[in-house]
Amino acid sequence: MLSPAVDVALVAAVVIITLAVVAVLGFKFSRSYRDLGSDADRATYATLHTVAQASEHLRTGLTPAGASKAARHLRGLLRCQALLVTDTDGVLAWEGAAKEPSEVMLLAQDVLSSGRTRIFKGPQLGSVTGEQTGIAEAVVAPIRVNGRVVGTVGAFVPSVNAGLVRATNEVGAWVATQVELAELDSSRTQLMEAEVRALRAQISPHFIYNSLNAIASFINTDPERARELVVEFADFTRYSFRRHGDFTTVAEELRSIDRYLLLERARFGDRLKVSLQIGPEVLSTVIPFLSLQPLVENAVRHGLDSKDGTGHITITAHDAGAYAEVTIEDDGVGMDPDRLRAVLAGHVDGVHVGLRNVDSRLRQVYGEAHGLVVDTAPGAGTLVTLRIPKSQPAHRT
């Protein structure tokens, strides 16, 4: 059997090699523990399994609930009598043989202010020491994210050795990686929310003004139709400006599009013709909120509004194997492909905001291969195609 010092050093070495893999891939284990014959193999398996379990509880960052659950696994990883996790304000988790002593945050404050790993002994630990707890010393390491110390992790043991110091530092670095990943996820969510707000801002000045003008034109000549349009307008804006949910369904988005086109037809009259070819099997497919309506609005505003005579918009949605494929086509003025590339790359401000916004969000959610496919040329109209995976267990409306 390995000695405790060698065992802790081995754990630290394994952590250095495997933490990145576990954090990025969410490592799953299928090999039986009994198949791993040597002490080194079993230590490797145990370390991987422990950090994988702990990572699940830190996906939302350094929170009391997550830190408390992760601490149970991290204590086993460091093989200490008690484990401490703090943020900059207070204790998030105390897991171990003793009750949480009032002095531990003072130790953490020392590390938070200096940014360095510290070893504490005897009287410095206060009431946590004693024969009943088995604690005489502690090592506390900083949790450093993007150059700033956001918390600490501490191991409380009978005696601190070099292996434990190294292992505690590596656990602190691993926790920092989990916090960084959580902040990245949060940033992505905030970016998506900001882009949805940008779409709502785009809807507001153009569509609302035109819709109200169209409704006003019917108040005296056709009050019944004016009342119907007001109801449709209210339903459309209620959906577009809702404050919950990043995702919706194809069916819900098409209902919103139907209201939008009804209001636009009140303005364009017989100049606007619409055809729909919708496969019922794709209606329940989950899609990002406001990912179809802005494309239809783009077809009306930039494709048909500048065109003389009648304009046609064709919307199709059908099953395409593992995907739901949606196309929005207009026979409007089209645009230069080079300008289109500049728009999608964000090099042109103030025009085709919806097109660029939807393309960006689709790539964020599903990957770079799932952006919009746009076929267009001056005077040749525009065809926009998007393919959405039908199976999306992580996304809910």
Side-chain angles (χ1 to χ4, degrees):
M1 294 296 291
L2 299 176
S3 69
V6 173
D7 213 9
V8 170
L10 174 62
V11 168
V14 172
V15 170
I16 298 171
I17 297 170
T18 61
L19 284 180
V21 175
V22 174
V24 174
L25 299 181
F27 201 86
K28 301 294 182 182
F29 307 96
S30 58
R31 190 175 180 186
S32 170
Y33 184 82
R34 293 188 298 272
D35 293 339
L36 302 172
S38 70
D39 289 342
D41 287 341
R42 283 194 290 272
T44 300
Y45 177 92
T47 301
L48 288 170
H49 185 61
T50 300
V51 294
Q53 288 182 310
S55 65
E56 295 180 3
H57 304 300
L58 296 174
R59 288 176 180 170
T60 58
L62 210 53
T63 65
S68 178
K69 294 177 181 178
R72 301 169 191 170
H73 303 292
L74 297 180
R75 180 191 169 203
L77 187 66
L78 294 176
R79 302 187 181 186
C80 54
Q81 274 62 34
L83 184 115
L84 169 72
V85 180
T86 79
D87 59 11
T88 56
D89 297 321
V91 175
L92 298 178
W94 172 265
E95 177 69 24
K99 292 183 179 180
E100 177 191 327
S102 58
E103 301 93 339
V104 291
M105 195 58 200
L106 296 176
L107 309 182
Q109 288 291 356
D110 191 329
V111 175
L112 288 169
S113 59
S114 68
R116 298 179 179 179
T117 301
R118 291 288 310 276
I119 297 173
F120 302 95
K121 298 182 179 182
Q124 293 175 301
L125 300 181
S127 61
V128 73
T129 59
E131 293 183 4
Q132 291 183 337
T133 64
I135 295 171
E137 299 180 359
V139 54
V140 181
I143 300 171
R144 193 184 303 275
V145 176
N146 296 324
R148 70 186 194 281
V149 178
V150 300
T152 66
V153 58
F156 292 71
V157 292
S159 178
V160 172
N161 56 43
L164 180 63
V165 173
R166 184 181 180 189
T168 305
N169 278 325
E170 294 303 330
V171 168
W174 176 80
V175 173
T177 300
Q178 305 308 302
V179 175
E180 288 175 346
L181 291 172
E183 290 182 352
L184 179 60
D185 285 341
S186 176
S187 296
R188 287 174 176 170
T189 300
Q190 291 172 7
L191 178 60
M192 287 185 64
E193 291 174 349
E195 289 175 335
V196 170
R197 287 195 296 271
L199 283 175
R200 287 168 172 160
Q202 178 199 14
I203 292 169
S204 176
H206 301 284
F207 173 74
I208 292 179
Y209 175 79
N210 291 332
S211 295
L212 291 176
N213 271 345
I215 293 169
S217 69
F218 289 106
I219 290 177
N220 293 324
T221 60
D222 193 345
E224 183 60 31
R225 188 177 183 192
R227 282 192 292 269
E228 292 174 357
L229 290 173
V230 167
V231 172
E232 296 295 341
F233 178 78
D235 288 339
F236 173 82
T237 53
R238 185 182 299 112
Y239 174 81
S240 298
F241 292 94
R242 74 179 192 180
R243 294 183 177 274
H244 66 282
D246 295 324
F247 294 86
T248 185
T249 63
V250 170
E252 285 294 323
E253 196 83 350
L254 288 175
R255 270 193 284 270
S256 176
I257 288 171
D258 183 60
R259 296 183 183 109
Y260 168 78
L261 290 173
L262 182 66
L263 291 161
E264 288 290 44
R265 280 195 293 264
R267 182 164 67 100
F268 283 98
D270 293 336
R271 285 187 56 209
L272 178 58
K273 303 293 185 183
V274 181
S275 299
L276 287 89
Q277 302 171 18
I278 310 298
E281 65 276 7
V282 302
L283 290 176
S284 61
T285 301
V286 174
I287 60 175
F289 178 62
L290 284 184
S291 57
L292 299 184
Q293 189 276 333
L295 303 180
V296 176
E297 183 175 356
N298 185 79
V300 173
R301 286 183 56 201
H302 299 290
L304 304 180
D305 211 358
S306 302
K307 176 186 175 180
D308 294 328
T310 302
H312 294 81
I313 294 178
T314 301
I315 303 170
T316 72
H318 64 273
D319 187 289
Y323 299 90
E325 185 172 284
V326 182
T327 67
I328 297 166
E329 183 174 12
D330 68 73
D331 61 353
V333 297
M335 66 184 301
D336 181 75
D338 290 335
R339 181 171 174 79
L340 170 65
R341 282 188 284 271
V343 166
L344 294 180
H347 298 154
V348 179
D349 295 328
V351 295
H352 301 283
V353 175
L355 202 66
R356 182 174 68 250
N357 189 299
V358 172
D359 178 70
S360 174
R361 287 193 294 138
L362 290 175
R363 293 178 189 275
Q364 288 174 23
V365 174
Y366 304 116
E368 286 298 317
H370 290 86
L372 295 176
V373 177
V374 184
D375 298 309
T376 188
T382 302
L383 171 64
V384 181
T385 304
L386 60 158
R387 289 163 60 87
I388 305 295
K390 289 191 294 187
S391 177
Q392 303 175 46
H395 301 144
R396 297 289 184 270
T397 60

